[in-house]
Each structure stands twice: as C-alpha cells, then as structure tokens.
Amino acid sequence: MSDPTTDDTTDPAEPSLVLEDVRKVYRMGDSDVVALDHATLEVAGDEIVALVGPSGSGKTTLCSIAGGILSPTEGRVVVGGEEISDYSPKQLTTFRQDKVGFVFQAVNLVPFLTARENLLVVDELGRRRGAPARQRADQLLEELGLSARAKNLPGQLSGGERQRVAIGRALMNDPALVLFDEPTSALDTKLGEAVMELIQTEMKSRGIAAIVVTHDERMVHYADRVAHILDGRLRA
Amino acid sequence: MRIALRELRRRPSRFATATTILALIAVLLLFLGGLLDGLVRDATGALRAQDADLVVYSSTARDSFFRSRITPEERARVEAVDGVEAVGGLGVALLGGRVPGNGPRDLADLAVFGYELPPDGVGDPPAPGEGYADEVLRDDGIEVGTEVLVGPARTPVTVVGFVADTNFSGQGSLWVAADTWRSVQNANRPDATVGPGVFQSLVVQAAGGVDPATLAGAIDDATGGATRTLTLDEAVAALPGVEQQQSVFNQIIGVTVVVAIVVVALFFALLTVERTALYGVLKAIGARSRTLFAGVVTQALLVTVVASAIGTALAVALDLAVPAGAIPFVLTPSRVLASVAVLLLASVLGCAFSLRRVLRIDPAAAIGSAP
Ligand SMILES: Nc1ncnc2c1ncn2[C@@H]1O[C@H](COP(=O)(O)OP(=O)(O)OP(=O)(O)O)[C@@H](O)[C@H]1O
Ligand SMILES: [Mg+2]
C-alpha cells in the first residue's frame, strides 16, 4: 500500500491483537455474569479470524474489549503493539480514533449524511487532516464500488451498499485491526457472501487484521482461521 | 460540530417546532421589554431630559414632586454651596387639558412643567401663557398655535413648539415659564398653592470636576436637612411606580426566560434520547462526549438565533402595526440585543440538562445486541 495518509507502518510479523487471560464480568445487581473467561487469543498482523459461537457466548464482548470499547475485568489486551488494558475512557477514545475500525451488525451510518460524509465523520471526530482524508475517502469509495453512490444518503442505498459504506468507514483511519460484529446477518446469503468476499480482499490487500463474528458456518471459509467461543471460553 | 450543522441544514423540519416556540417566546420577551421601556420612558422623560446632575426635594417629600416645596430661602442656601454651578426651579401639575375641536370629555393628559434651566431639547422658558408641548400631544390634536385650556379653571396656554421624550407619569408634558406654572397650579389646585418664588424642586448643575454624590451631601448639609438631594439617576428610579413597574415586568420576563430554558431543555433532551444509538456509534468510532455535546449546544444556539431573528422581525412588525401612542411601546436596539443575549444564555442552560445523558451514553451498547 502506497497510501500517503498511512502514518503507522504496522509490522506484519507483529501480532495485531493479543488477548491474554482476559476475563469480563458484568455486574447485574447482586449477580455477576461472566461474559468472557480466561480468553487468550493472538491474531497475526494480517490475519482474518472468524469468531463463531451461539448467542450469548461472549462474541460481542470479545470484540468490544479488543476494540477498546470495554475494559477487561482482568487480563492483558494489546492492539497493534499498544497495551490498552489499563487505559482510561479518554485514552480509549483516542485509541479507537486511531487504531481500530468497527463494522456493526445493524447498519449504523449517520442517516442525514451522504456515503462520503459518513466516511469523513471519522476524520472530523479524530485528527482532522482535511484534504488527505477526503482523498482517502474518495479512494475507498472507489475501491468499494461506491463512487457513483458517494452523494447518496444511507436511506437511498441498498443494504449491501450500506454495509460497504460501513466497511469504508472502518478503514478510514487505517486501523491495525477491524472488528466485524455479524456484518452479514442483516443481508441475504448472496449479498452476505459478496460482502464477506469484499472484506477478505480489502483486508488482504491492505494487510489489515480482522475478527469477523458470525453465526453462519458458510461464511467461515473466508477467514484464515476459526475461533470457537462457548460460554465465554475460547476454543481455537 | 460539522455533523450537527449538517443535520440542521438537511433536516430543518426536525427543529421547526422548537424554532417556532422560541420565536414566540422572543416576541413575548421583546413585547414585554418594549412595553416596560415605553412605560418607563413615558414616566421618566421629564427628569431624564434635565440638563442637571442633581434633583433637590424637600426632605419630607419622599422624593416626589407633589409633596415637595422649596422656598426661595432654601434655594439661596443651595446656590451658595461650593461646587454648585447653576440652579433651576422645577414644578409640575398633572391636569387635563381641553383642546379646541375635541369633545368636552376628550381631555389631553398634561404634565404642566414650570422650569428655569432648559432641559435637553427644550428652549429657554417661553413667554407667559405659552408652552412647548411634547410630541405625544399631537395625537390629541394639539398643533403649534393651539390654545389649550388647562384644568378645571381653564387656564389658557398657547403651544408655540414641540419637544420629544419629555413625558412624566405617562402624561404629555407642556413646558412653561415658572410663573405660568404657578398660575396654572394655583388656579386649579387651590389645595396645593405655591407662593411667589416657591418651586417643588430644584435641579442643580455641578461645577466641572465636582462629584455629584458628594455635592448632594453638601447641599443637604447646607439646608440643615430641609432638603433631600438625589442624583438624576436616583431621582428617575425614585419616581412613583417606576421601580414597581420594573420589578413586575422583570418578574414576568424572568418567568418567560424560565419557560425558554424549559423548552430548550425538553426539546434537546428528547432529541438526545432519540440519538442515543447514533451517539453510541459515534462514540464507538472515537467521538468524545465533549464533541457530541458541543454539537447539541451549536444546534440550540443556531435555533435560538433563527428564532430571535423571526421574533425580532415580528416585534418590529408589531411596533409598526400598533398606532403611535396607542400603547407605550418602544423597541430599542439595546432591548433587542439584551433579549437575544438572554435567550442565547437560556438555550445553553437548557442544553445543560442533556449533558449528563450525552456523557452516559455507552458505546458498548452500540456495537452488539448486548442489553
Ligand atoms: N451490558 C451487559 N450487562 C450485563 N450482561 C451483559 C451485558 N452485555 C452482555 N452481557 C451478557 O454477557 C454474555 C455475553 O454477551 P455477548 O453480547 O458478548 O454475547 P454474543 O455472543 O455477542 O451474543 P449474540 O450472538 O446474541 O450477539 C451474555 O450472557 C449477555 O447476557
Ligand atoms: Mg453480539
């Protein structure tokens, strides 16, 4: 990638994510819910890992911790060489701006912004680089086959197109790791497969690592590796 | 911030309700403020127009013209005080005036002032039996040359010119020479006659560099406590009813501002609730609470600016639509600016009620199906 906006050159040999004995306990009144228990996972610099498990097994919790949205109760979290286990909420916010990308299950674009503006939100909330960010947004939209749709509002886009915009938004900050939480569950099989293929090519061509949460075993072969999770415990 | 501005531009209808309500509140604020300003203007014009630093009443008068009498001897003592530049007598009689051509019951409300030192915009005292009328008396059909018959005794005063913003107690002023005033007063108020040389009060010009407040004390000392001397501003505020009017109106204005705060608070709290998911997503991708809240405040301020502009336009239209003199209403730029400033402050305060909610929105809720 000869991208002018790339400021951190991630060494592909360095793991993009290290989870070490991560435990997450939700306090619910008097009872504790253990959502993750001694989760240990290492994702290589450009690896795509599928995370498969039944509902309530802790997939979203794992993604949230890996992406700096939640802090672990115990354990070590290292993303792109940066240890975030003990970060304050403020440090986590900056970390999310710079280091990770998210694609959510529900399409969560800003409804009154065009496709292109939805990508640029990342820059407005973060470093505000201006022109290079606009250049990058246009480039991403083109790669995602959305150039003709750049000026459309989310409401004027199809489900697949919206998910592609969301992928573009996740890539805007040139992250070390992108977290996909059930990116295809709102799409039909054919569209889902197209989106998975797109995820695969985008990640591979950029050498970015990804965790893709899915219920759907058919999507698994797009990943390099599958991690199974059950009741908060990982089985590789 | 950009996101907030784009939302305003792309979805103006979402903000229409709040804008409308705030515009109506702005009209109400301007109307109340303008009414207060008009009432105060018409109550105080005669004093504000005085080209003087101090007003001297007798100490028993409780700062009112009607209970006050200053004798020539007291006046001489005031004139002898060091730092007094000039002294003029002042007296007023509130009476109805018959205007030729008007019905017998259609009296013009007059404040007949006898004066010596010309107030701002008023010439030297006119000849006996003549007077300068305030502009507002034109609405009563008074013109230059009109002979007004003042009071039950029908003392004739011929209008020889007009002056502006010199009213007193809501009545149109008629500025006459001291002796003309005495004859009007003595003919129409047999219960409150004034002797030769006696005035109700004195206006005093301080010599250059003399502090008026200090001079006021010196004057009251010189008269042995027979007088009570106020600065012009104090005398204006002490006029009967002025402070009461101000406090009543300011209370109503205060309640209106509270309503504005509540409107903004409710409206933007609702919007914030609606945006919980959106804010969660934005936080997940790195938005700070501060940025999101700044967006809310920006929107509230812009809504308020637009509402204020509409409100001001409506108030100006109202001002033009209401016939002159029908209600005491003046719309001054300073009143408009003050009202807009208060509304802007109210909108920021209103937003503050959404701050906690914005801070509490959890990005974790945005990412998955977790409760
Ligand atoms: N904020 C929370 N408070 C309390 N318990 C929670 C919270 N979030 C998740 N949990 C619990 O933690 C466990 C793991 O939840 P998580 O959302 O990670 O599961 P998941 O694998 O993503 O499920 P799904 O496939 O339904 O999205 C569940 O038992 C859930 O009820
Ligand atoms: Mg989930």
Side-chain angles (χ1 to χ4, degrees):
Chain A
M1 267 301 307
S2 62
D3 189 322
T5 63
T6 309
D7 38 22
D8 55 329
T9 38
T10 35
D11 178 4
E14 187 186 12
S16 61
L17 172 69
V18 178
L19 296 181
E20 247 179 57
D21 262 340
V22 169
R23 199 174 144 82
K24 179 68 186 179
V25 181
Y26 291 109
R27 293 220 68 110
M28 292 279 281
D30 315 329
S31 64
D32 287 352
V33 178
V34 181
L36 271 188
D37 203 7
H38 298 292
T40 297
L41 179 69
E42 194 171 308
V43 180
D46 58 352
E47 198 179 16
I48 301 178
V49 174
L51 185 61
V52 181
S55 185
S57 55
K59 306 184 295 294
T60 296
T61 304
L62 189 143
C63 284
S64 303
I65 288 174
I69 283 182
L70 284 177
S71 292
T73 313
E74 278 171 38
R76 232 164 67 88
V77 183
V78 183
V79 181
E82 188 173 347
E83 163 139 23
I84 61 167
S85 324
D86 299 320
Y87 269 16
S88 69
K90 214 170 161 176
Q91 287 172 306
L92 283 176
T93 299
T94 312
F95 162 79
R96 292 199 298 272
Q97 279 173 10
D98 294 345
K99 284 282 173 70
V100 287
F102 290 99
V103 175
F104 308 100
Q105 172 173 359
V107 181
N108 280 310
L109 302 176
V110 182
F112 48 84
L113 297 183
T114 65
R116 183 170 185 267
E117 288 163 354
N118 262 289
L119 263 57
L120 289 171
V121 161
V122 174
D123 186 55
E124 269 163 42
L125 298 176
R127 297 195 182 286
R128 295 171 170 278
R129 287 174 304 188
R134 286 194 288 278
Q135 223 174 312
R136 182 174 177 80
D138 291 333
Q139 188 195 336
L140 279 167
L141 287 169
E142 194 181 322
E143 286 177 27
L144 295 164
L146 289 167
S147 288
R149 297 255 166 249
K151 291 207 167 78
N152 287 50
L153 295 173
Q156 303 163 324
L157 298 174
S158 73
E161 284 169 339
R162 268 180 262 168
Q163 203 56 297
R164 278 189 272 158
V165 175
I167 293 169
R169 182 174 70 181
L171 294 172
M172 264 304 279
N173 58 349
D174 193 29
L177 174 70
V178 182
L179 302 153
F180 295 87
D181 195 0
E182 309 198 33
T184 61
S185 66
L187 307 174
D188 64 38
T189 313
K190 241 187 92 201
L191 254 181
E193 278 176 356
V195 167
M196 281 306 293
E197 214 175 295
L198 186 69
I199 291 173
Q200 190 187 37
T201 48
E202 284 297 318
M203 296 304 119
K204 287 299 170 196
S205 71
R206 285 161 202 278
I208 296 177
I211 296 180
V212 183
V213 171
T214 180
H215 272 310
D216 192 340
E217 291 288 345
R218 281 169 302 177
M219 302 296 175
V220 163
H221 67 273
Y222 291 101
D224 300 317
R225 180 154 70 92
V226 182
H228 289 275
I229 185 167
L230 186 64
D231 291 338
R233 288 168 183 278
L234 276 170
R235 280 185 300 114
Chain B
M1 217 88 112
R2 285 262 288 280
I3 304 175
L5 294 178
R6 286 217 175 93
E7 186 178 18
L8 272 176
R9 253 209 338 258
R10 304 244 166 97
R11 296 181 151 178
S13 59
R14 295 197 93 189
F15 302 90
T17 319
T19 311
T20 309
I21 298 174
L22 284 174
L24 292 176
I25 288 176
V27 173
L28 191 57
L29 278 182
L30 290 172
F31 181 70
L32 288 167
L35 209 53
L36 172 60
D37 290 345
L39 282 169
V40 169
R41 180 197 58 180
D42 289 353
T44 62
L47 269 189
R48 282 186 289 107
Q50 293 302 321
D51 183 17
D53 302 298
L54 299 170
V55 179
V56 183
Y57 296 108
S58 50
S59 56
T60 52
R62 281 176 281 141
D63 308 337
S64 155
F65 281 97
F66 306 106
R67 292 182 286 256
S68 182
R69 292 289 183 276
I70 305 282
T71 63
E73 297 73 46
E74 284 162 349
R75 177 185 182 142
R77 271 186 232 141
V78 172
E79 281 171 336
V81 172
D82 243 7
V84 169
E85 172 90 19
V87 173
L90 196 62
V92 60
L94 297 181
L95 292 163
R98 279 178 181 72
V99 181
N102 289 1
R105 301 198 171 277
D106 189 7
L107 298 181
D109 292 327
L110 301 176
V112 181
F113 272 95
Y115 71 102
E116 294 179 334
L117 286 181
D120 296 330
V122 182
D124 284 328
E130 293 181 350
Y132 304 114
D134 192 278
E135 290 285 347
V136 297
L137 292 171
R138 286 186 197 271
D139 296 332
D140 292 293
I142 290 174
E143 293 161 20
V144 170
T146 303
E147 189 185 65
V148 185
L149 302 176
V150 179
R154 307 196 176 199
T155 316
V157 175
T158 305
V159 172
V160 294
F162 280 97
V163 295
D165 191 14
T166 63
N167 292 331
F168 183 73
S169 237
Q171 318 220 116
S173 288
L174 192 56
W175 295 89
V176 300
D179 284 330
T180 313
W181 164 68
R182 278 195 201 93
S183 57
V184 167
Q185 173 83 9
N186 294 343
N188 292 287
R189 289 263 186 271
D191 54 320
T193 55
V194 282
V198 174
F199 281 95
Q200 288 172 334
S201 76
L202 303 175
V203 291
V204 174
Q205 290 172 351
V210 176
D211 172 43
T214 316
L215 185 57
I219 289 173
D220 293 342
D221 288 344
T223 59
T227 58
R228 185 171 133 76
T229 305
L230 307 177
T231 63
L232 197 58
D233 288 342
E234 286 168 351
V236 168
L239 286 175
V242 168
E243 241 170 56
Q244 290 89 324
Q245 273 172 353
Q246 272 166 341
S247 88
V248 167
F249 270 83
N250 285 333
Q251 278 170 38
I252 304 176
I253 287 171
V255 171
T256 312
V257 172
V258 170
V259 171
I261 295 176
V262 171
V263 167
V264 174
L266 282 178
F267 183 77
F268 282 94
L270 274 177
L271 270 190
T272 308
V273 170
E274 263 180 55
R275 291 171 182 158
T276 305
L278 177 62
Y279 283 169
V281 173
L282 292 177
K283 280 191 176 184
I285 64 173
R288 295 165 202 286
S289 296
R290 195 186 345 134
T291 312
L292 298 178
F293 184 65
V296 175
V297 174
T298 306
Q299 289 185 337
L301 286 176
L302 274 176
V303 163
T304 309
V305 166
V306 171
S308 300
I310 297 171
T312 306
L314 289 175
V316 169
L318 188 79
D319 192 17
L320 296 176
V322 172
I327 47 168
F329 181 78
V330 271
L331 200 57
T332 60
S334 65
R335 172 61 67 179
V336 173
L337 285 180
S339 302
V340 172
V342 164
L343 270 183
L344 289 175
L345 193 69
S347 72
V348 174
L349 282 178
C351 286
F353 289 90
S354 299
L355 177 58
R356 218 166 67 98
R357 202 177 291 279
V358 172
L359 287 175
R360 269 200 333 216
I361 288 172
D362 184 0
I367 183 170
S369 47

